[in-house]
Amino acid sequence: MRRRAVVLLCAVLALLGLVAVPGEAAGPPPNSEPYTAPVDQPLSLDECHVDTRHGYYVKSAFGACWFTELKFAHYACPEPACAVDGTASAYVFSTLNVLKDSRQVAMAHRLVNWRTDNVADTARFGVSILCGPPTGGAGFCDRSVVPVVKSIAEWKAAPDVTEVFSLDGEDPPATGASAAVAAEKRTSYIVSSRLVAETDDRFTLTGSSMGTGVRCDVARQSDPAYVRGADCVLRTWFTPMFDFSAGELPIAETGRFVRDVAPAGRYAGYPGTSGGSAGFTGPQNRLFYDVAAREAHRVAAEARCASTWGPFWNRHSGGLTNVCGAYPVDESVQGASATSSFTVRPVLDTDHAEFQRRFTRFLAENHVLDGDGYYFYPLP
């Protein structure tokens, strides 16, 4: 009997997280749904197409691509009135990917579909890749300018090139940043490329520049349970989106609650635009370091549950237990408080716990730092 009591006590403590479970793996707990971290799905040149909207496509916080058209015209003499005596054009695709578990980025280019008129295949074209800080920044790259120039014949034979850059240095903390945020050493860079031609000065070369801002930090190295994946993100262009199936059994009550209360906005190009799915909301902003604020959100939410749903709001049918689901969530700056607008609903505790587990993993795998924005996007 004594041994059985000890086993039961250990099981209870393990459920509460007070003792380690033998064989428990480090890292995020497994989810019931298939999942691949965004950084494990780099954006390939094959995914960047001519019909990219606005000339670019963003896959995740770790990968984006651009499309432009190189248009070259050569003139018979330097004077403005001189006639064009040769032209060349090509499609130019470019991708920028953050490399996993590192402070590096890879920028790739593809120059294809060459069309020429009186321009020899020996003519040399390409890109100049620039890596460095924005104006006033203190970050730096291992290489600030990298020219990648080849003849048309060489591009036709090998149209793809990739260059890897290491990003270093440290920006001063933003004004008003907390000590915890300052310790993350958030630093900004710009990685971009522009078209170049190696010829005399009697030419014009058109085509948009390609690239975006990159932000790096040491948060993953300091606390891998906080954020994972890489040490840099393409935060300039992309706000991560937590999409989930509101009808999936393990999260059904919480999922339906979030879907019901989410504003009915739509975002062109995302699931639900022409279907019955609720639109995404937000952005909300992550609240990680301020534990007292999160706890205050929880107190305010539970007080609203009691006043709205009565003193027995935490009783679920079948003898099960409810928790107070709140939207915006406790982990957001916008969470429940006396001065904010929020909604609550009692939901099954195990259902809510699974939803929270997936949401926390989403934040970590998308490298969403304290204060960063994110969206909820409920699907059917």
Side-chain angles (χ1 to χ4, degrees):
M1 178 65 70
R2 177 178 175 80
R3 182 176 183 276
R4 182 181 179 187
V6 170
V7 170
L8 289 173
L9 176 61
C10 288
V12 171
L13 292 175
L15 288 172
L16 295 174
L18 300 179
V19 298
V21 179
E24 185 177 7
N31 284 341
S32 60
E33 82 285 5
Y35 185 86
T36 302
V39 77
D40 292 325
Q41 301 174 316
L43 179 60
S44 69
L45 285 164
D46 290 333
E47 294 176 81
C48 193
H49 300 290
V50 176
D51 59 355
T52 356
R53 293 184 181 185
H54 312 297
Y56 65 87
Y57 163 61
V58 184
K59 184 174 185 179
S60 72
F62 306 104
C65 81
W66 297 265
F67 165 76
T68 191
E69 189 171 3
L70 177 154
K71 294 183 178 180
F72 170 81
H74 191 272
Y75 297 88
C77 61
E79 288 71 27
C82 287
V84 173
D85 62 2
T87 61
S89 63
Y91 290 153
V92 182
F93 302 90
S94 175
T95 61
L96 182 64
N97 282 288
V98 173
L99 301 187
K100 185 176 182 179
D101 295 338
S102 76
R103 199 183 179 104
Q104 293 183 311
V105 296
M107 193 163 199
H109 292 83
R110 172 178 292 170
L111 275 67
V112 292
N113 196 28
W114 286 93
R115 290 92 63 201
T116 60
D117 181 11
N118 201 33
V119 173
D121 272 6
T122 54
R124 293 173 61 80
F125 298 93
V127 294
S128 180
I129 308 174
L130 310 176
C131 184
T135 303
F140 59 90
C141 304
D142 59 339
R143 299 178 295 165
S144 58
V145 181
V146 177
V148 183
V149 182
K150 302 192 294 184
S151 69
I152 294 177
E154 290 172 323
W155 282 115
K156 289 179 177 179
D160 297 354
V161 293
T162 302
E163 298 290 339
V164 175
F165 297 84
S166 295
L167 284 56
D168 210 333
E170 179 184 335
D171 284 343
T175 302
S178 67
V181 170
E184 295 174 356
K185 301 180 179 180
R186 303 182 188 185
T187 304
S188 297
Y189 309 82
I190 296 176
V191 184
S192 63
S193 63
R194 58 181 179 83
L195 301 175
V196 295
E198 288 186 353
T199 185
D200 57 43
D201 58 1
R202 302 196 307 269
F203 73 92
T204 58
L205 182 65
T206 59
S208 59
S209 60
M210 299 157 284
T212 187
V214 179
R215 187 194 68 194
C216 300
D217 55 76
V218 299
R220 177 187 67 91
Q221 301 171 45
S222 302
D223 184 0
Y226 170 33
V227 287
R228 289 185 287 276
D231 293 325
C232 304
V233 288
L234 309 181
R235 291 297 302 187
T236 302
W237 278 24
F238 186 80
T239 301
M241 182 177 295
F242 178 47
D243 55 49
F244 56 91
S245 174
E248 187 181 349
L249 186 59
I251 61 168
E253 288 194 15
T254 307
R256 283 195 297 267
F257 162 58
V258 173
R259 183 181 176 187
D260 289 347
V261 301
R266 294 286 192 264
Y267 197 47
Y270 283 88
T273 301
S274 58
S277 169
F280 75 94
T281 70
Q284 294 179 38
N285 299 87
R286 188 176 189 183
L287 185 65
F288 180 77
Y289 292 120
D290 194 342
V291 176
R294 297 204 308 269
E295 291 176 346
H297 292 166
R298 179 81 329 231
V299 170
E302 291 180 354
R304 177 72 63 83
C305 268
S307 63
T308 303
W309 301 88
F312 304 115
W313 64 266
N314 59 342
R315 294 183 182 179
H316 195 280
S317 60
L320 302 177
T321 302
N322 284 328
V323 296
C324 185
Y327 188 88
V329 295
D330 298 346
E331 297 80 6
S332 71
V333 174
Q334 296 82 3
S337 72
T339 58
S340 68
S341 176
F342 65 95
T343 307
V344 296
R345 180 185 298 176
V347 293
L348 183 62
D349 56 357
T350 54
D351 178 293
H352 187 264
E354 173 66 9
F355 186 91
Q356 286 294 110
R357 185 161 64 99
R358 297 185 187 189
F359 174 58
T360 300
R361 181 169 183 171
F362 155 80
L363 295 174
E365 297 288 6
N366 285 274
H367 206 93
V368 180
L369 297 179
D370 187 275
D372 282 350
Y374 58 86
Y375 293 108
F376 281 93
Y377 193 87
L379 300 170

